[in-house]
Amino acid sequence: MKVSMIGHRDCSENIRSVLKKVLTDCILQDRATVFYVGHQGAFDRIAYGVLKSLKVEFPHISFFVVLAYMPTKAEFPEDLTLFPEIVARSHPKYAILKRNQWMIEQSDLVVSYVLTSFGGAARYKQMAQKKEKRIVELSTLSDKI
């Protein structure tokens, strides 16, 4: 099973424990082994940190930072990054859109942290819904965990 994560650029660290619980459940219950995360904002940084810690606990999983742009400096180890061809060939104006489309298309499950019905994160969650992807919405779980 492959899992992608989408969320707001601005995100509180408080979501970390909920995200870790959800991803742990994905590994243990759904047998998820591959995870994709972007690199544009706070949610992506939190997800990256959670995935790094889960990799220690579950060495059989793989996770990748999916790039929208070729970085000018090495932000992540090369073996942890993907730069899909469809993104590389796209105009920079559309790079994030193409990257997020690619992530959603690769995934069986999308873990989402979307608080509004507008903006980029909401648009990609809607895209996942249209593609009938299974979605776990973290904002509805944070008060239950």
Side-chain angles (χ1 to χ4, degrees):
M1 174 185 256
K2 295 178 183 177
V3 179
S4 286
M5 284 159 276
I6 56 172
H8 295 293
R9 180 178 300 269
D10 297 321
C11 176
S12 168
E13 279 288 326
N14 296 340
I15 199 69
R16 184 178 298 273
S17 62
V18 177
L19 180 58
K20 185 170 184 176
K21 168 81 170 89
V22 166
L23 295 181
T24 300
D25 288 349
C26 287
I27 294 166
L28 295 175
Q29 295 173 10
D30 298 320
R31 300 183 190 268
T33 57
V34 178
F35 297 85
Y36 300 114
V37 64
H39 64 99
Q40 254 63 48
F43 179 78
D44 292 340
R45 280 191 298 281
I46 292 166
Y48 176 77
V50 168
L51 288 167
K52 274 179 64 172
S53 70
L54 288 175
K55 177 72 173 165
V56 172
E57 195 173 341
F58 303 101
H60 68 283
I61 68 167
S62 300
F63 71 94
F64 301 95
V65 177
V66 184
L67 303 173
Y69 308 101
M70 188 57 79
T72 55
K73 61 180 179 167
E75 297 176 61
F76 307 99
E78 274 189 43
D79 61 333
L80 295 181
T81 61
L82 291 174
F83 190 47
E85 184 178 340
I86 190 146
V87 178
R89 290 182 298 154
S90 68
H91 187 282
K93 181 177 178 179
Y94 303 107
I96 293 173
L97 168 70
K98 293 294 186 182
R99 188 266 320 269
N100 290 348
Q101 284 177 334
W102 183 90
M103 287 172 52
I104 289 167
E105 288 173 9
Q106 304 309 306
S107 300
D108 304 298
L109 171 70
V110 174
V111 175
S112 162
Y113 182 67
V114 177
L115 301 173
T116 64
S117 60
F118 56 89
R123 181 177 32 230
Y124 301 120
K125 180 179 175 183
Q126 291 168 357
M127 183 185 298
Q129 289 168 328
K130 286 180 184 171
K131 293 186 176 288
E132 299 182 352
K133 300 293 180 172
R134 185 172 144 219
I135 299 171
V136 175
E137 177 53 57
L138 297 174
S139 66
T140 62
L141 300 175
S142 59
D143 59 341
K144 297 176 185 168
I145 296 179

